[in-house]
Amino acid sequence: MTRFPRLVLFDLDGTLLDSAPDMLAAINALRGERGEAPGTLDALRPHVSKGARAMIASAFPLLDADAREALVRPFLDAYEREIGLHGRPFDGIEEMLAALEADGARWGIVTNKPEYLARQVLPAFGWDARSAILVGGDTLAERKPHPLPLLHSAQALGVEPAQCAYVGDDERDIMAARAAGMPSVVALWGYRLDEDDPVAWQGDVMADTPHGLTDPLAWPRR
């Protein structure tokens, strides 16, 4: 019997991984091709968990919607070249994962990042051999905030949703968990816009740092 939830599922960017430096390198490759000065990490970081289109809109605010859409594929291609070169796990993530594993709990990743890109991230940190499951944004017919990716993960690993927990830094993460009947943890160390109000997301637990989640009593239960 584990003291932690039997299965913990995590968002990737902004939750397990501080991937903003990789994203910035990709954005700046596009800006350089257009003769524009490099962007800054502070400007891009809040948009990372919102996805490629949000980052492109932030970096190229003068482009119209069609022009921004045309940059999605070049951005993803540039990001693929930068994966794992600049980003790192957030401070305390490895200690938290080690605590889960030592207690016999399993963990996995449910992200809206395309699966082919997410799979390239994991080996840089040894997570490919440790994560029990990986579901990307295009793995299934639906993506977060739809509950399907969370329900699919729990079912695939033989765990009832109520015995799991989902950890994420975006409102879509908490919406997906709630719809799946899965306890949720708001990762306050992640990426948020100034106007985001994580209290209003009504997650079950709000965690300031990954270090706090090394304590089994910090996790939500149902």
Side-chain angles (χ1 to χ4, degrees), residues 76-167:
L76 293 177
D77 290 344
Y79 168 64
E80 188 173 9
R81 295 190 292 271
E82 302 292 343
I83 284 177
L85 298 181
H86 315 281
R88 294 291 181 271
F90 284 100
D91 186 35
I93 287 295
E94 287 297 346
E95 292 86 347
M96 178 192 63
L97 295 179
L100 292 173
E101 293 167 346
D103 199 48
R106 290 181 291 173
W107 63 273
I109 295 170
V110 178
T111 174
N112 276 359
K113 182 195 293 293
E115 183 179 341
Y116 80 97
L117 291 174
R119 290 202 177 279
Q120 293 180 61
V121 171
L122 271 57
F125 312 106
W127 293 346
D128 52 324
R130 298 165 63 190
S131 177
I133 195 167
L134 169 64
V135 175
D138 54 357
T139 304
L140 304 170
E142 301 286 352
R143 57 191 291 176
K144 300 176 295 183
H146 198 281
L148 178 62
L150 302 187
L151 293 172
H152 168 84
S153 299
Q155 182 180 32
L157 295 173
V159 184
E160 291 296 322
Q163 295 179 305
C164 304
Y166 187 65
V167 185

